[in-house]
Amino acid sequence: MRVDYADLAARIAALAEGETDAVALMATLACEIHHADDRFDWTGFYRVVAPDLLKIGPYQGGHGCLTIPFARGVCGAAARERATQLVPDVEAFPGHIACASSTRSELVIPVFARGERLIGVLDIDSDQEDAFTQEDASALEAILATTFGDLD
């Protein structure tokens, strides 16, 4: 099953309407995104909890890494560079952290609240190589901006 991003965005908007708690929103999005597409093997958020440090937030799938410094891995790169990381082959990514040995490709998108304040990253792993497209990245960036962009 492939995700229908228009349907996913509408569903998330309806579920998130009026919610202002970032963790509640992350939990809702992790669940909705994870179950929207068979390519998504692990879907979750890492939250910014200290300067240059991410800690696991709400997720769907097997256990994730508990903490990730901005200096390490795909999630760290997304946070450090404040830019989406579309990685077709994690083995070729310098400094990749293998939280799950089944991960073959990864899409990580920074999450910003009001004023472009970085509050975390959305991490989606796949057990398939080259599983993600620029369309996936752009659609999910738009969903994240709509959901979190007005939070204080």
Side-chain angles (χ1 to χ4, degrees):
M1 146 185 70
R2 285 283 178 146
V3 62
D4 175 335
Y5 282 111
D7 180 61
L8 179 63
R11 228 175 28 253
I12 288 172
L15 290 166
E17 185 176 358
E19 183 55 64
T20 59
D21 181 83
V23 174
L25 290 167
M26 288 176 183
T28 300
L29 267 71
C31 180
E32 290 299 318
I33 294 168
H34 185 73
H35 294 288
D37 196 306
D38 292 335
R39 296 172 296 160
F40 303 166
D41 190 51
W42 192 95
T43 307
F45 289 86
Y46 283 93
R47 301 170 300 113
V48 175
V49 296
D52 299 328
L53 185 65
L54 299 166
K55 189 165 284 224
I56 196 156
Y59 67 91
Q60 300 278 309
H63 293 288
C65 295
L66 296 181
T67 59
I68 299 176
F70 280 24
R72 295 198 53 221
V74 181
C75 290
R80 182 178 66 252
E81 297 171 14
R82 301 172 62 88
T84 296
Q85 305 292 307
L86 182 60
V87 181
D89 177 6
V90 296
E91 297 298 323
F93 189 90
H96 173 255
I97 302 169
C99 295
S101 61
S102 61
T103 300
R104 297 288 169 257
S105 58
E106 196 165 353
L107 173 60
V108 182
I109 303 169
V111 180
F112 300 102
R114 186 184 317 273
E116 293 295 306
R117 181 173 57 91
L118 181 69
I119 60 170
V121 299
L122 169 64
D123 179 16
I124 305 175
D125 298 349
S126 180
D127 55 6
Q128 304 167 31
E129 259 189 41
D130 202 16
F132 305 108
T133 66
Q134 187 56 52
E135 177 192 357
D136 294 316
S138 297
L140 290 164
E141 286 168 351
I143 288 170
L144 292 171
T146 299
T147 305
F148 295 96
D150 288 333
L151 293 184
D152 288 321

